[in-house]
Amino acid sequence: RALGIQSQGHLSELLRGKNKHSRNSSAQHWAKEIRNFLSLTPKERQDAISIYGQAQTSKKRKSSKRTVWSKEQNMMLENFFRQKPSPTKPERQLLASQCGVEVGVINTYFQNKRRRSRHLQPL
């Protein structure tokens, strides 16, 4: 309390539904979930935990592979960047089709290139 943090109540109070923050529906929801979990048999608890773990791992975002540019692609993008650091949408679509990648990859290339060029310029 000295740090300004208010307690949400003891776990036993939450489980019994005697929470002084009764308007906090999130606390009530979790208290109900905990009560339901504790009412399960040990085997059912293990099954519930494994199902929960599988659901959590399936929610993880899959990282995309890093794009490695060929010399020709890199030269084409470098030349275009020198002429126009911020291409329009049709130009980005054209570059994407010429390079054989998605438009988002071209967007990222130009964003990174602009940032690097600003970073390398003397003040």
Side-chain angles (χ1 to χ4, degrees):
R1 289 191 185 264
L3 298 175
I5 301 171
Q6 292 185 347
S7 170
Q8 291 294 317
H10 295 289
L11 180 60
S12 60
E13 290 173 349
L14 288 172
L15 292 175
R16 282 185 261 131
K18 294 181 180 178
N19 185 2
K20 63 180 178 180
H21 304 288
S22 61
R23 284 178 282 176
N24 188 348
S25 62
S26 179
Q28 289 176 346
H29 168 75
W30 283 108
K32 183 178 177 182
E33 292 291 325
I34 292 170
R35 279 195 302 272
N36 290 342
F37 180 76
L38 293 176
S39 68
L40 298 174
T41 65
K43 173 73 172 114
E44 291 172 328
R45 287 183 193 176
Q46 284 180 335
D47 293 343
I49 290 170
S50 67
I51 290 171
Y52 178 78
Q54 290 170 358
Q56 292 302 310
T57 56
S58 66
K59 289 181 183 178
K60 289 183 182 176
R61 196 180 108 178
K62 298 192 185 210
S63 61
S64 58
K65 299 288 182 189
R66 183 178 184 277
T67 303
V68 179
W69 301 105
S70 69
K71 287 182 182 180
E72 295 82 18
Q73 289 172 326
N74 205 15
M75 284 179 54
M76 180 175 52
L77 292 168
E78 287 279 342
N79 291 334
F80 198 95
F81 181 79
R82 279 190 219 108
Q83 294 171 6
K84 193 169 184 181
S86 296
T88 62
K89 189 172 183 175
E91 291 169 337
R92 291 191 310 261
Q93 290 171 339
L94 177 66
L95 284 168
S97 66
Q98 288 174 347
C99 291
V101 296
E102 294 181 14
V103 178
V105 177
I106 298 295
N107 289 340
T108 304
Y109 173 84
F110 279 94
Q111 286 175 356
N112 292 340
K113 190 75 172 161
R114 284 191 298 269
R115 179 170 291 164
R116 274 186 249 123
S117 69
R118 271 187 246 129
H119 180 70
L120 296 175
Q121 286 178 351
L123 296 175

